[in-house]
Amino acid sequence: MLSFDALWAAAALLLFLPFHLWLRHRRPVDHHVGGLQPFQKMAQSGSAHSRRRPWSYWLLLLAFLGTTFALMGPRGGGLEPLLIVDQSLSASLQAAPAPNTFHGETRTMGSADEVVTHREIFAALGQVQPGRDVTVWTDLPKPMGLPDTIDWQDARVAEQALAHGAILQAKAIDRGTWLVHWAQRKGNDGMLVASMDEVLPLEGTRGVRKLTPQGSGRTISLSGQGKGRKTFQSFALKTIGVVVEDGMHPDWLAVFQAIDPNLFFVPIVNEAQQGIQGPYPALSMDGNAQPRPQAWDDIPWTEAPTPDLIASLARSWPVMAGEPRDSREVLPILEAPTFPQNTMAALQKQQGQPPKWMTLLVLLSGLCATAGWLGLPKPAYSSSAV
Amino acid sequence: MNSELFPRTFFVELARRRAAAASAAPGQRAVQLSGSTLPGYERRAWQRGDRRRQVDWRATARAGRTMVRQMEHERGGFLHLVLDRSASQAPGTADRDVAQRRLALALSWLALEDGARVRIHAGTTSSALFSGWSRRAAVLPFLRDLAAPEGTDALPALATRTASGSRLHVLSDPWLSDAFRDDWAKRARGFRHRRWTSLLLPTEVEPPRERMQLTDVESKQQLQVDLTRDYAAFRQAWDLLTRSRRLSLQQAGFRPTDLLCRSAQTDAAALLRRAATHAVL
């Protein structure tokens, strides 16, 4: 749907009225005579087409209409609305927009492994066609100074419900010892709690601590306190088991142990009891069968491991794979940034600009009309009546 | 139509012209003259020697006795009034057409009152003979019912032999070509008195000083001129055309007169006064 920034500029069309009347006044007056003898020597050319308006008139009218249209500031230009959806980890945890409720183009940004920040969204907005209506769905706070054409749907949960700290990753480095990556908001007095006897106060905003959870809980917690409100986030350590069979080369067990010192091996006694079916080795997590990594199909388990095969196994290890979670995702920023002035100026400048073809048309029309008024090219003199 | 074409002021002025003409010749007035040439308006009782064709049967029925139309004497000669009825007579305005009809009526009226016979040639198709003092009133409906000017220049063919004292008066516009005028003038040599009155419109004498798209109403040719710039050239061409026209008419034995036709609505009486001033009437 075509809309205009300055619809009042359509009033400029009225300016053409006095110009049109002036042209009518300048137009030759129809005069019927009984004879043409005394006028023959002063005849002008073009008499046969005098009823038609000169081509320069139509060009000028076209230029005038184009200028008026540009003054009105057309927006949209028939472009369908655009929905930018933040699909990063933190945003995907919120209620996503129903796909059927939006009619227009949808673009997604980020993923569970790809962080989306204001910078990425601003970059995407800078590439949107000028004047196009855009809706941004994200859990990032709405920036200040946002243009009117951008609808920022803030999908964040209430600020009070946001965690003050988070455990980014917990990785076993030794049997019973875990390496914990943590992060907390500035000003938060957080603590890592592995057991009643092991409470580690945290300093700074992020860091790595070694913990040795005791007992069978295998749970690490991060408590935080900020602005008088306590939050508590738990991180359950996964117990990974590898179901092995007798035919495997024994060195592979050492490799598994090196990758994850906390794992345990499950010998096959009865497939039905284990609930796990071949091929082997297979994975279980907290006693539940897990999908076997595809890379394991290419590993000759009966042969001794080679460095390449070990690396392949390490890459496919579900806990070992990947980096610690990005703190920007688990601890969303609270401060709303300001929409960059250069992007906003570019958008506003583009909104006020007519399409290039129209600008070119207006310029050409104006030039041609001027040439027409000046009588260029000069017509050949003709005294013959039509 | 009567009141528009021939308003009351026209007849008042016409009567004034007639009175002025009569006063110029003491003793003259508009009366019928008894004679034997023409059946007149007056009736009288039948007398021995009257012809049967003189009997006015309608008057006889009214009077209860045999009545005859009294014969009048035609003494004013024969006026051939030629009206140019080409389209150039009314180029965009009917002022000249109206003026022509008014002048034709005035000329006919005065001639008939003088005892002349009048034949009006309107273009090439319409012609009528009027004779007798009483026939004045018949001229008006004839002129009133003339068709609007149309077509190109075409003047009637006149009799090569004309009666003694026949006069020719042409009421035309200034747009006859020299060749056409000369050709037709040759055929008018049988007339002893020849007058040619060119009726001019004010816009022809002094066209507006502006850019104009001219259209010849006869040939439909078009021409674009800019008189804001070329007015002097036009005046020069117009004066040359006027002198040429008058000269050629004079050479053909005509007495040329140019008469201005102003707005038909207000020019009824003034037209007759100007015509009298220029001795057209």
Side-chain angles (χ1 to χ4, degrees), chain A residues 232-256:
Chain A
F232 193 78
Q233 191 182 58
S234 297
F235 194 91
L237 302 178
K238 303 293 183 185
T239 302
I240 298 177
V242 179
V243 183
V244 296
E245 58 181 349
D246 293 338
M248 286 181 63
H249 195 284
D251 289 352
W252 280 112
L253 301 180
V255 173
F256 278 120

Side-chain angles (χ1 to χ4, degrees), chain A residues 18-73:
Chain A
F19 176 70
H20 177 75
L21 293 176
W22 177 73
L23 284 184
R24 283 180 63 89
H25 180 70
R26 277 192 79 247
R27 201 175 59 176
V29 178
D30 284 334
H31 196 70
H32 291 84
V33 293
L36 298 173
Q37 296 95 315
F39 303 102
Q40 293 286 4
K41 286 187 177 178
M42 61 198 76
Q44 297 178 337
S45 64
S47 55
H49 306 288
S50 64
R51 296 301 301 176
R52 300 177 188 172
R53 297 192 183 284
W55 54 272
S56 53
Y57 171 85
W58 297 111
L59 281 174
L60 195 63
L61 177 61
L62 195 64
F64 190 83
L65 289 176
T67 306
T68 305
F69 189 68
L71 281 175
M72 291 166 66

Side-chain angles (χ1 to χ4, degrees), chain B residues 20 40 70 85 90 112 120 139 192 194-195 239 252 257 263:
Chain B
Q70 189 172 341
R85 300 298 293 168
L112 288 171
I120 301 178
V139 180
R192 184 177 179 185
R194 279 165 275 178
R195 299 207 56 164
D239 291 343
T257 306
S263 171

